Amino acid sequence: MRVVFTVASQLFLSTIIISQLALTATCVRTAVNVTYSEYVGEELGNGVSQWLGLRYAAPPVGALRFAPPRDPLSNSEPQAANKHGNWCVRRPGNSLTSEDCLFLDVYAPTKATTKSKLPVFVFIQGGGFNDNANPNLNGTGLVKASSNSIIVVTLNYRVGPYGFLTNGPQVVANNGLRDQRKALEWVQKYISQFGGNPDHVVLGGASAGAASVAYHMMADKDGNRKLFHAAAAESVSFGTVLTVQQAQYQYDNLMIRLGCARSDAAASLACLRSKTQKEIADKDGDIPYPGSSNGPIYMWSPVIDGDFVIDYPYSAFRNGNFIKNIPVIFGDDTNGGSGFVPDRISSLGDSNQFIKDQFPAITLSQLDTLNMLYPNPNASICPRMGCWRGQAGSVYGEMRYMCPGLYLNDAFDNYNDQYSKGTSSWAYRWNVEDRDQMASGLGVPHVVELNALFGPTNMWYTGQVPQSYFPGGTNAAAVQVMQGYWVSFIRTFDPNTLRCCGSVEWKAWKSGDKASAQHQRLLFGTGGKTAMEVIPFDEGLGLRCKYLQAIGRSLLQ
């Protein structure tokens, strides 16, 4: 591994050396006491130990269904922590899923002690707030990539109506986000028992998990909670954000479908809580946004509740209402929208309707401008099934993912220039091509880099991991390169300090504090290649993002 020392990293390296010395002390026992319970984990025999299925909150069932998370219940007997906890989904159908799903996993060096104070990486999975899309991610690969010098925490949180149903004062909004905060508070209380440093936590996430990172930044705009100290997020998602009042139609329609329509709100909620998960799932269809024709891809999502979420993401980050003075990484994939667009998109009208279904506030004028900014290269061969799919995917991918991520890079860079010299914002584009994905027309799809971040053998759905990422594959080197940057960032708050394998210096988003400074991001290429690329202001992606960011607030993003 190539080590690149910078002046800004010396204090971090000193801390690392002290932490490494602490590893020589007596090992943490596999039985760890977290006050309310004793959990017995297991050593894996490779220098890593794991504790699986740790409760960070009480089961959200019965009277706690649709309620904010509560403290976990106490157990007098030691609890085996060698199996993943159930994960949360919107609809049942898998034996691994349950409403009782508020669990987290901890992966730590076997030699870590309560005095080790190792950096901690907490990762929030995605799923559009409607599913747990990346459950049971195995943190072992990242711990080993760090030479056993970090701790990784992954978690489940409520999704669909269980996490994002609201009904004014009767049902507290954004319980899925509150679950995540509960898990972060758990880390602050107990991670030292596993060898972690609660004052050195890097928050990560992908897709809805990356959006969650942004929401936690907004919710702690004054930095008083101190639940994390840096962030690295893949494909931040800015979807349509409704107010509690605007989202009332979702609650009302579900009540009607379940036969729970009551004039008394408390009685309506009691009826809902009496229904089985299957009964709810059978009636929980995607209802179109008012003013749209078809149900959106993701109907249940965070709402503005005046408590946890008090503003639209674009407005909050434009006005400086977010936690500042922390180093951040935001990035996206080249074809982040390709996997979301249905095959039926075969005309300009289909494409526009698809965007309207996801962003109901969009106007005809705005659609007209988007049609000019995103011409269809396949228009000459239309009509043909799916011939506008690529165009719709480009619009959706940049509108929902890529341009919001770059906006966050801008927001942090601008405020850090003013308030915290030396704190940086880094951007990236994942352009690692897999032969099979390219042949299928997906290109480089949404959050495919998770396979590199955690390692291809550490995904719960290993059968769906691109073959090129496995050892001996054409993109095996990309795994080592990405893990090198991320481990460096987790340990030192700088992706360059410990980067590996001849990878390029990852320069900050702006090469200076002047308005004319170039925007630049790291380009991850096929086979582990890396380079820096500049994004021009007024052409190509820069021009398109400039427009999408300007209209984002009017689209309720």
Side-chain angles (χ1 to χ4, degrees):
M1 177 177 288
R2 178 189 177 194
V3 181
V4 182
F5 292 95
T6 63
V7 174
S9 67
Q10 296 305 308
L11 290 176
F12 295 116
L13 292 177
S14 297
T15 301
I16 291 168
I17 292 171
I18 293 172
S19 296
Q20 293 297 326
L21 290 174
L23 291 177
T24 62
T26 304
C27 299
V28 169
R29 295 176 298 120
T30 54
V32 175
N33 193 303
V34 290
T35 304
Y36 60 90
S37 186
E38 182 178 60
Y39 284 109
V40 182
E42 59 182 343
E43 295 184 24
L44 301 180
N46 58 0
V48 180
S49 293
Q50 63 182 17
W51 291 262
L52 307 179
L54 309 187
R55 290 188 182 275
Y56 67 86
V61 298
L64 295 185
R65 181 191 267 181
F66 310 118
R70 305 283 179 85
D71 289 340
L73 304 176
S74 297
N75 285 295
S76 58
E77 297 294 326
Q79 303 294 303
N82 56 3
K83 293 183 180 179
H84 296 289
N86 296 316
W87 35 287
C88 317
V89 290
R90 178 176 171 184
R91 298 183 176 96
N94 186 316
S95 61
L96 300 176
T97 66
S98 171
E99 280 189 72
D100 181 8
C101 60
L102 299 185
F103 299 95
L104 56 76
D105 298 337
V106 177
Y107 302 85
T110 299
K111 292 185 178 181
T113 78
T114 54
K115 297 181 180 180
S116 295
K117 294 188 179 298
L118 296 177
V120 181
F121 181 55
V122 180
F123 184 83
I124 303 175
Q125 62 180 299
F129 297 112
N130 285 247
D131 288 288
N132 281 174
N134 315 114
N136 303 340
L137 286 172
N138 190 329
T140 303
L142 262 178
V143 176
K144 290 181 66 64
S146 74
S147 299
N148 294 345
S149 62
I150 67 171
I151 289 176
V152 175
V153 179
T154 60
L155 62 120
N156 299 330
Y157 58 95
R158 283 175 289 177
V159 292
Y162 301 98
F164 295 96
L165 181 75
T166 183
N167 183 31
Q170 292 296 324
V171 179
V172 175
N174 299 317
N175 282 321
L177 294 177
R178 297 176 195 276
D179 292 343
Q180 297 167 8
R181 177 185 283 173
K182 191 73 169 177
L184 289 170
E185 292 171 344
W186 185 97
V187 168
Q188 287 297 304
K189 290 180 182 178
Y190 302 116
I191 203 61
S192 62
Q193 298 302 308
F194 300 84
N197 183 357
D199 296 321
H200 188 130
V201 176
V202 177
L203 184 60
S207 193
S212 299
V213 172
Y215 280 116
H216 289 293
M217 290 171 171
M218 294 161 55
D220 190 24
K221 62 186 179 67
D222 298 320
N224 295 326
R225 292 184 180 275
K226 295 181 171 57
L227 297 177
F228 56 96
H229 312 91
E234 297 83 50
S235 299
V236 174
S237 171
F238 280 10
T240 293
V241 181
L242 303 177
T243 65
V244 168
Q245 293 74 24
Q246 290 169 333
Q248 184 67 39
Y249 78 95
Q250 298 172 350
Y251 182 93
D252 291 347
N253 276 276
L254 185 59
M255 295 307 100
I256 292 169
R257 293 177 178 186
L258 287 168
C260 289
R262 306 284 191 275
S263 58
D264 181 81
S268 176
L269 178 58
C271 177
L272 178 59
R273 283 181 169 147
S274 73
K275 301 297 181 180
T276 66
Q277 189 180 26
K278 184 179 185 306
E279 287 175 316
I280 293 175
D282 287 344
K283 302 300 182 181
D284 176 25
D286 287 319
I287 305 166
Y289 287 121
S292 296
S293 299
N294 306 295
I297 300 172
Y298 301 117
M299 183 183 79
W300 302 105
S301 54
V303 298
I304 295 176
D305 60 359
D307 176 27
F308 200 112
V309 180
I310 62 174
D311 202 353
Y312 300 93
Y314 267 123
S315 294
F317 283 92
R318 178 179 296 118
N319 297 328
N321 294 322
F322 60 94
I323 185 173
K324 310 176 190 68
N325 306 335
I326 63 171
V328 293
I329 292 174
F330 299 110
D332 198 19
D333 310 271
T334 299
N335 308 109
S338 63
F340 296 97
V341 182
D343 291 337
R344 61 176 172 76
I345 306 297
S346 302
S347 68
L348 176 61
D350 288 344
S351 177
N352 287 172
Q353 186 62 60
F354 172 76
I355 298 301
K356 174 73 171 177
D357 291 337
Q358 317 311 317
F359 298 95
I362 198 167
T363 66
L364 294 179
S365 175
Q366 290 167 342
L367 282 170
D368 186 42
T369 301
L370 289 178
N371 294 336
M372 291 186 289
L373 288 172
Y374 294 87
N376 184 8
N378 298 318
S380 62
I381 60 173
C382 288
R384 178 174 61 80
M385 179 61 72
C387 65
W388 280 81
R389 190 168 178 265
Q391 189 264 3
S394 295
V395 176
Y396 183 74
E398 293 184 1
M399 179 182 287
R400 181 156 190 152
Y401 301 110
M402 186 168 287
C403 296
L406 296 179
Y407 192 83
L408 296 189
N409 280 118
D410 248 346
F412 273 91
D413 191 87
N414 290 337
Y415 278 92
N416 286 339
D417 280 345
Q418 298 179 49
Y419 302 113
S420 181
K421 301 292 183 181
T423 301
S424 293
S425 166
W426 290 274
Y428 76 88
R429 175 165 69 97
W430 190 259
N431 193 45
V432 176
E433 296 181 353
D434 174 77
R435 181 184 62 185
D436 294 337
Q437 290 181 329
M438 297 300 293
S440 71
L442 285 174
V444 182
H446 185 57
V447 298
V448 68
E449 71 268 39
L450 282 186
N451 301 294
L453 177 59
F454 284 88
T457 61
N458 296 311
M459 313 297 287
W460 75 275
Y461 50 86
T462 53
Q464 301 176 34
V465 175
Q467 288 300 304
S468 63
Y469 285 72
F470 285 93
T474 56
N475 290 316
V479 178
Q480 190 176 12
V481 168
M482 184 176 194
Q483 288 183 336
Y485 283 120
W486 256 249
V487 165
S488 180
F489 185 75
I490 293 166
R491 290 178 63 179
T492 73
F493 297 150
D494 185 331
N496 293 297
T497 313
L498 305 170
R499 73 179 191 268
C500 93
C501 318
S503 50
V504 301
E505 179 186 357
W506 189 345
K507 296 180 181 178
W509 168 237
K510 281 204 308 189
S511 58
D513 57 5
K514 297 181 180 179
S516 61
Q518 289 183 325
H519 289 161
Q520 55 192 336
R521 60 183 177 180
L522 179 66
L523 179 65
F524 288 93
T526 306
K529 298 178 181 178
T530 54
M532 294 301 301
E533 65 174 357
V534 173
I535 301 177
F537 286 113
D538 294 316
E539 59 181 276
L541 176 64
L543 179 63
R544 297 193 299 272
C545 281
K546 185 177 181 180
Y547 179 70
L548 290 172
Q549 292 163 354
I551 68 171
R553 169 59 184 83
S554 70
L555 299 184
L556 310 182
Q557 289 179 287

